[in-house]
Amino acid sequence: MSTLLAILAHPHTDDFSWSLATFDEFIKSYKAAHPDEHIIIRDLFDEKVPALDNDTFAAWKRNKYAPDTLTEADQSLLARHNAYVDEFIAADKYVFVNPMYNGFTTAELKQYIDVIAVPRKLFRYTENGPVGLLKGKKSLHIQSAGGLYHNEEDASHMAEDLGAAYIEQTMKMIGIEAREQLFVEGYAHYPERAEELKKKAFDEAQELGKNF
């Protein structure tokens, strides 16, 4: 039985969320097509993933050089870090869901990737660069944006989407070769086409759900 790990990185507001709504279509289709598979959903805006801050670096140092000096707070912090890493490694498929923020992803998603992208666990360094250790897995990145950045007829704005490039590069670095992207965008640029764009995104999400 495969495990799908969905990482939701969208704030909780009363406004309609294009990325979360598209994910909902994906996951409904996925459950119907894969009824026996295990699904884990991590909501990063609920969970408050620990940061790579002064407390974390200090705990790491104490754990390496003087483990007998670790406090209960240190142990709890390191346990949370390890739990996220172990869960990620154990999964077979990954879905990242976020809105675009100023050409990038949300801080919460960046923080999550900082926590799980651990050398010698997800990748290893070699003289030719990093080599991924998670071969044979799959990833899907669902991202919403009000503007158009991935227009098949005009790719001139694609370079402005640093967030999607970051997720793509991270997946490559950790060894994932089967990578999918679903961009839900243009609804603010073309409000009169909102329903058309929504249907297009939902249709694509449902198809991905069947075959992911």
Side-chain angles (χ1 to χ4, degrees):
M1 179 177 68
S2 294
T3 295
L4 181 144
L5 174 60
I7 301 103
L8 310 186
H10 195 290
H12 300 283
T13 69
D14 293 333
D15 297 329
F16 175 78
S17 167
W18 286 75
S19 59
L20 292 181
T22 304
F23 170 73
D24 286 344
E25 294 299 317
F26 166 84
I27 205 67
K28 284 188 292 187
S29 176
Y30 185 86
K31 288 178 178 178
H34 309 82
D36 297 325
E37 295 198 4
H38 183 45
I39 297 173
I40 301 171
I41 296 180
R42 291 281 164 235
D43 187 330
L44 303 187
F45 275 77
D46 269 347
E47 300 203 9
K48 305 297 181 185
V49 175
L52 296 192
D53 56 12
N54 291 338
D55 292 337
T56 295
F57 286 111
W60 280 345
K61 186 174 182 180
R62 283 191 286 271
N63 189 49
K64 183 175 182 179
Y65 296 107
D68 58 321
T69 67
L70 286 172
T71 66
E72 286 189 14
D74 289 336
Q75 293 173 14
S76 176
L77 179 61
L78 295 178
R80 290 191 67 204
H81 277 266
N82 292 335
Y84 281 114
V85 175
D86 292 344
E87 178 180 74
F88 194 89
I89 292 172
D92 304 287
K93 305 172 186 179
Y94 311 100
V95 182
F96 299 88
V97 185
N98 67 278
M100 177 192 284
Y101 275 12
N102 300 315
F104 200 63
T105 185
T106 60
E108 287 73 12
L109 182 51
K110 173 64 166 63
Q111 191 158 295
Y112 174 83
I113 289 175
D114 285 342
V115 167
I116 58 99
V118 177
R120 296 181 298 280
K121 290 195 173 184
L122 270 66
F123 66 95
R124 61 183 175 87
Y125 290 112
T126 72
E127 61 183 10
N128 297 316
V131 173
L133 301 177
L134 301 188
K135 304 290 187 181
K137 302 184 186 248
K138 297 181 178 181
S139 71
L140 167 62
H141 181 207
I142 299 174
Q143 177 178 277
S144 63
L148 278 173
Y149 297 88
H150 300 271
N151 185 355
E152 294 178 358
E153 299 175 0
D154 179 9
S156 61
H157 294 288
M158 190 178 299
E160 299 171 16
D161 183 2
L162 301 177
Y166 169 70
I167 299 297
E168 179 78 356
Q169 180 57 37
T170 300
M171 294 301 100
K172 288 172 63 177
M173 181 183 73
I174 65 178
I176 297 178
E177 298 174 351
R179 303 182 303 275
E180 298 278 1
Q181 295 175 309
L182 173 50
F183 299 111
V184 189
E185 54 185 25
Y187 46 86
H189 192 75
Y190 297 108
E192 72 281 1
R193 295 178 54 197
E195 288 304 315
E196 169 200 339
L197 295 169
K198 183 191 298 184
K199 183 179 185 308
K200 180 177 181 295
F202 284 8
D203 288 348
E204 188 171 348
Q206 291 164 7
E207 190 63 27
L208 282 167
K210 294 176 186 176
N211 301 301
F212 191 65

